Amino acid sequence: MCGIVGFIGNQDSKEILLKGLEKLEYRGYDSAGIAVINENGVKVFKEKGRIADLRSIVDENTLASTGIGHTRWATHGVPSTVNAHPHQSTTARYTLVHNGVIENYDLLKREYLQNVTLISDTDTEVIVQMIELFAKDGLNTEEAFRKTLTLLKGSYALALLDNQDNETIYVAKNKSPLLVGLGDDFNVVASDAMAMLQVTNQYVELMDKEIVIVKKNEVTIQTLNGEIINRAPYTAELDASDIEKGTYPHYMLKEIDEQPAVMRKIVQKYQSEQGQLTISEDILQAMNDADRIYIIAAGTSYHAGLVGKQFIEKMAKIPVEVHISSEFGYNMPLLSEKPLFIFISQSGETADSRAVLVEVKEKGYKALTITNVPGSTLSREADYTLLLHAGPEIAVASTKAYTAQLAVLAILAEVTAKSRGLEVQFDLVQELGIVANAMDVLCGAKEDFENIAREFLATTRNCFFIGRGIDFYVGLEGALKLKEISYIQAEGFAGGELKHGTIALIENGTPIIALATQESVNLSIRGNVKEVVARGANPCIISMKGLETDEDRFTIPEVHELLTPLISVVPLQLISYYAALHRDCDVDKPRNLAKSVTVE
Ligand code: M6R
C-alpha cells in the first residue's frame, strides 16, 4: 500500500515522477504528492485525490533533476492534502515519503518530539521530525537518518531529501518493498520496477534494514551498521506494453480477457520438452516429505487455496489445511510433525502473509510461495517459488491471477501425485487446453453477462452466491468480486447452510446466483434454489453443460469436474464488472482499497 518513486539525474524529474506514480496508483490512490529539489531548495506539490489531481497543481516552471513522489493509501489520518506525502520537518530542511506503518510512532512522538508541533496525523511526520531533531543535535544527514531508523518499529520504505543537498536521495527499507533502478547518468527509486520501466529495466533489490545513498552516478548500499554491500543488478523482464490498457476501457476487462492466453502460457511454462508437466525436484521432495500442507493466503488468493486443497487432496492424497493469513498468527493450529507451508499471493508482498512466513521460517519449516511476481518479498524469503506467469495484474480486483493460481495448484497436485506413483485419471495438459477454450467462449459471451448484471444487479442492495462442494468456494470468490467493485453487499454461502440461518435474509426479489457445475450435488443445489425462490428470491442459475435445465440462466461449456472453478468464475467476474459499470463505480480502483496490501 502506497507507492514511492524517486529520480536523480540529468533532466527535469517532474514528468518522470508523475508517470511513475501513475504506474503505482494501484498501490493506493487517495492522495499523492511530489517534492523536487534544485539549487534553490525543495518544492512540494501535494493533493487529495488521484495523480491527475496532483498533475493539475504541479508548477510547470519549476525545473529540478532530483525528486521523490508518493501515492497514498491512508493508514494514519484521513485522506487529505495535509496528510498526503511528502511530509516536511518544521524548518523544511527534510522532506520524506514513506510506505508502511511505524508501530511506535506515538511513543517516539512523546519521547522525542514534545517541543515540536506536528501538522499532520501521520506516523510519517514523526520520522522526518526526528531526523531534523538529530541533525540539529549536530549529526550529519546520513547519521541522523541512520539514528532515526534504529529507533523505528514497523515497516517502512523511505525516500528522503535534504534541502541543503540537491545531489542525494537517502533511501531505506524494512518489510515494505523498494528497489533502486540504475541508468546512464541517472538513478531511480521505486516500490515496483513497473513504475520506472519508462527509464530503465536495470534494478537492484534492497533488503530489510539497508540504507542506500543514491546519487546521479553512484548508488551505495549499506547495512544499518554502515557495512557496504555489493549487489549485482537484475533485468526486470517486463514488457512496457503489458502494463498498458491498450484499447480496453478498464484493466479488469483486459485481464479477464487474458485468461485463456494465461492458461496456455502456464501449460507451456510447466511443460517439459517431452510434453510432460514438471515441477522442480526440490519442490516435489518437499511435497513428498510433508505429512500435511498448510496453505496461507488472503482474499482471492485464499479462495484459490480452498480450491487448491481439493486438487492436492484428491490428486496427491496429502492432507491440506487452508488458513487466512491475518488470522494464522493468533489462531495457529496444532501443526503436524512435518508441515509444508504454501503461500499463495499474486503480489508476493501481502504483509499478513509475510508475517506468517517470517514466523514459520523462524520455526525452521519449509515454505513454497506461489506468486505472480518473481523477486517479490514472499518469493525471496520462501525456500521455493512457483510462478503464475499471468503477466502484471493491475486492476485491484484479482481475476487472471486467481485462475492462474488454480492452474498452477492443479499442476503441482498432478505432478506430485505422479511422483508418488498415484494414478491421475485425466490428462491435465489436455484438460487445461479445454479450459482455455472454454474461457474463450465465455469471454465471447460478454453481452449475456452484461444483461444478467443489468437485470439482477442494477439496483439491488444485496446479492447472494450459493453452491455446494467446489462451487461454494467459487461462490465466495464471486461474492468478493462483486462487493469489492460494485459495493453491493454480496456473500457466498454453502447451499446446505441456508436453512441454518441465512435464508432469513431472503426478501422479495433478492438476487441469488447459484452455481450448478457438480453432478454429485446438482439435485441438492437445485433443491436449495427452490427453497429460496419459495421465499421470493430472484434466481440466476449458472450450470455446466450436461447438467443444465430449462430454468438456468447461463450454461458454461463442459470441462473436467475438478477444474470447473477455472471457468465458472469467469461469468462471475464479468457479471461483477458490468454491475460495477452500471452503478458508475470506478472498476479498476474501487474505494478504500489498494492492489498490494503491504500493511498488516
Ligand atoms: O497479492 P495477494 O494475492 O497476496 O493479495 C491478496 C488479497 O489482497 C487480494 O487477493 C484481494 O482480495 C483482491 N483485491 C481481491 O480481488
Side-chain angles (χ1 to χ4, degrees):
M1 307 196 127
C2 302
I4 285 181
V5 287
F7 179 88
I8 181 159
N10 48 9
Q11 55 181 301
D12 186 45
S13 58
K14 293 192 305 290
E15 190 52 31
I16 296 171
L17 296 172
L18 288 168
K19 278 208 177 110
L21 290 179
E22 276 163 4
K23 295 283 179 275
L24 292 184
E25 239 184 341
Y26 73 90
R27 303 180 70 90
Y29 36 82
D30 57 44
S31 55
I34 61 169
V36 291
I37 180 167
N38 57 26
E39 48 300 339
N40 302 320
V42 171
K43 269 208 162 179
V44 174
F45 305 95
K46 54 186 191 174
E47 188 62 290
K48 184 177 171 201
R50 302 286 166 89
I51 309 301
D53 301 301
L54 169 65
R55 197 178 263 286
S56 67
I57 60 143
V58 170
D59 173 15
E60 278 294 309
N61 301 319
T62 305
L63 296 179
S65 54
T66 301
I68 55 178
H70 186 272
T71 179
R72 180 169 189 247
W73 185 87
T75 57
H76 296 65
V78 297
S80 67
T81 304
V82 169
N83 289 332
H85 299 218
H87 289 282
Q88 291 196 293
S89 57
T90 305
T91 68
R93 172 158 181 200
Y94 292 109
T95 306
L96 182 75
V97 291
H98 167 217
N99 165 27
V101 169
I102 303 305
E103 288 155 13
N104 59 340
Y105 82 104
D106 209 31
L107 192 77
L108 295 172
K109 189 158 79 177
R110 277 184 273 124
E111 206 163 313
Y112 293 92
L113 304 174
Q114 309 90 338
N115 301 323
V116 178
T117 308
L118 301 182
I119 58 163
S120 76
D121 300 319
T122 64
D123 49 346
T124 309
E125 193 184 346
V126 169
I127 313 175
V128 74
Q129 296 287 12
M130 285 178 63
I131 297 169
E132 176 158 294
L133 187 81
F134 296 139
K136 279 184 180 159
D137 282 349
L139 298 186
N140 67 31
T141 298
E142 191 180 323
E143 291 163 346
F145 188 42
R146 196 182 292 281
K147 179 163 177 186
T148 305
L149 294 176
T150 59
L151 295 168
L152 301 182
K153 287 206 166 47
S155 55
Y156 55 78
L158 300 169
L160 174 78
L161 296 177
D162 175 355
N163 205 14
Q164 297 176 3
D165 170 10
N166 64 352
E167 293 181 357
T168 311
I169 303 177
Y170 298 85
V171 167
K173 89 157 220 107
N174 187 44
K175 296 191 194 168
S176 298
L178 200 60
L179 301 167
V180 171
L182 309 180
D184 198 5
D185 220 17
F186 71 87
N187 289 308
V188 301
V189 179
S191 299
D192 182 332
M194 220 189 262
M196 286 296 174
L197 262 193
Q198 45 164 329
V199 286
T200 182
N201 64 359
Q202 294 300 300
Y203 289 87
V204 183
E205 273 176 6
L206 303 182
M207 302 298 159
D208 285 352
K209 307 225 161 134
E210 289 180 344
I211 294 190
V212 194
I213 311 297
V214 185
K215 298 198 178 267
K216 185 166 85 166
N217 290 311
E218 200 183 345
V219 169
T220 313
I221 308 177
Q222 307 167 34
T223 62
L224 269 190
N225 303 325
E227 223 175 281
I228 303 280
I229 292 163
N230 291 310
R231 188 171 299 131
Y234 68 93
T235 304
E237 308 281 357
L238 274 170
D239 185 337
S241 65
D242 284 350
I243 55 178
E244 300 300 338
K245 272 205 298 257
T247 53
Y248 280 90
H250 298 100
Y251 280 108
M252 184 180 176
L253 195 61
K254 172 176 180 255
E255 289 158 7
I256 291 172
D257 269 358
E258 283 170 353
Q259 293 179 106
V262 170
M263 290 300 112
R264 295 178 183 115
K265 181 154 182 203
I266 289 173
V267 170
Q268 178 221 326
K269 289 282 181 185
Y270 282 95
Q271 222 174 5
S272 69
E273 278 175 13
Q274 292 70 41
Q276 305 296 317
L277 292 167
T278 57
I279 298 277
S280 75
E281 273 307 316
D282 51 351
I283 296 179
L284 284 182
Q285 190 64 51
M287 290 288 285
N288 285 317
D289 285 348
D291 61 357
R292 184 170 285 262
I293 288 169
Y294 295 83
I295 293 182
I296 311 290
T300 288
S301 298
Y302 169 73
H303 295 155
L306 294 172
V307 177
K309 170 183 161 78
Q310 304 300 317
F311 293 165
I312 296 171
E313 289 190 340
K314 294 212 162 89
M315 287 192 248
K317 313 283 182 218
I318 305 172
V320 180
E321 289 180 24
V322 191
H323 292 270
I324 294 174
S325 50
S326 58
E327 282 292 304
F328 193 81
Y330 324 106
N331 287 336
M332 193 180 300
L334 270 182
L335 296 179
S336 65
E337 261 178 48
K338 292 183 277 173
L340 171 67
F341 285 82
I342 299 183
F343 291 84
I344 307 179
S345 174
Q346 186 285 130
S347 62
E349 300 294 348
T350 297
D352 292 323
S353 301
R354 195 212 173 195
V356 181
L357 175 58
V358 169
E359 197 175 338
V360 304
K361 289 311 296 167
E362 271 166 19
K363 291 188 191 310
Y365 300 128
K366 294 275 186 215
L368 159 67
T369 290
I370 300 181
T371 182
N372 201 23
V373 185
S376 58
T377 307
L378 282 162
S379 161
R380 278 201 319 266
E381 295 181 356
D383 301 275
Y384 324 100
T385 296
L386 288 176
L387 289 177
L388 299 180
H389 301 291
E393 191 181 65
I394 315 269
V396 165
S398 187
T399 53
K400 63 176 178 172
Y402 172 78
T403 45
Q405 286 163 345
L406 297 190
V408 170
L409 283 160
I411 291 172
L412 176 65
E414 193 244 31
V415 179
T416 305
K418 287 190 170 158
S419 75
R420 294 160 77 87
L422 298 168
E423 202 185 329
V424 177
Q425 304 288 354
F426 54 89
D427 175 348
L428 188 55
V429 171
Q430 194 185 325
E431 295 299 335
L432 286 173
I434 296 172
V435 161
N437 294 343
M439 284 174 164
D440 274 327
V441 171
L442 294 171
C443 290
K446 292 196 179 69
E447 218 182 305
D448 292 314
F449 303 122
E450 186 171 6
N451 289 338
I452 291 176
R454 188 177 302 112
E455 187 182 324
F456 288 83
L457 302 171
T459 55
T460 187
R461 61 189 172 91
N462 53 16
C463 171
F464 303 119
F465 292 73
I466 61 170
R468 285 181 176 245
I470 217 162
D471 284 342
F472 164 47
Y473 303 133
V474 181
L476 294 177
E477 174 56 11
L480 175 59
K481 225 64 321 157
L482 184 63
K483 72 181 115 182
E484 75 174 323
I485 60 168
S486 74
Y487 319 141
I488 295 170
Q489 199 229 330
E491 307 299 337
F493 297 118
E497 271 292 286
L498 286 168
K499 47 190 164 298
H500 298 289
T502 315
I503 204 162
L505 293 170
I506 305 297
E507 293 170 348
N508 249 349
T510 305
I512 296 279
I513 299 185
L515 291 175
T517 75
Q518 305 293 300
E519 192 174 3
S520 57
V521 291
N522 193 27
L523 293 180
S524 335
I525 195 67
R526 289 175 185 281
N528 295 137
V529 172
K530 294 265 182 288
E531 289 159 9
V532 291
V533 168
R535 285 152 184 91
N538 186 13
C540 170
I541 303 176
I542 297 178
S543 58
M544 187 169 77
K545 193 150 178 39
L547 302 176
E548 75 271 32
T549 69
D550 289 347
E551 62 189 354
D552 299 351
R553 185 56 201 254
F554 191 88
T555 298
I556 60 176
E558 191 175 357
V559 300
H560 189 281
E561 201 173 45
L562 197 54
L563 301 179
T564 53
L566 285 142
I567 64 156
S568 57
V569 77
V570 178
L572 307 190
Q573 296 167 343
L574 283 163
I575 291 169
S576 302
Y577 172 78
Y578 288 112
L581 268 195
H582 290 320
R583 297 168 82 106
D584 263 345
C585 298
D586 188 340
V587 173
D588 284 339
K589 297 192 184 86
R591 71 184 178 206
N592 305 339
L593 289 170
K595 179 76 180 161
S596 188
V597 185
T598 54
V599 293
E600 280 175 52

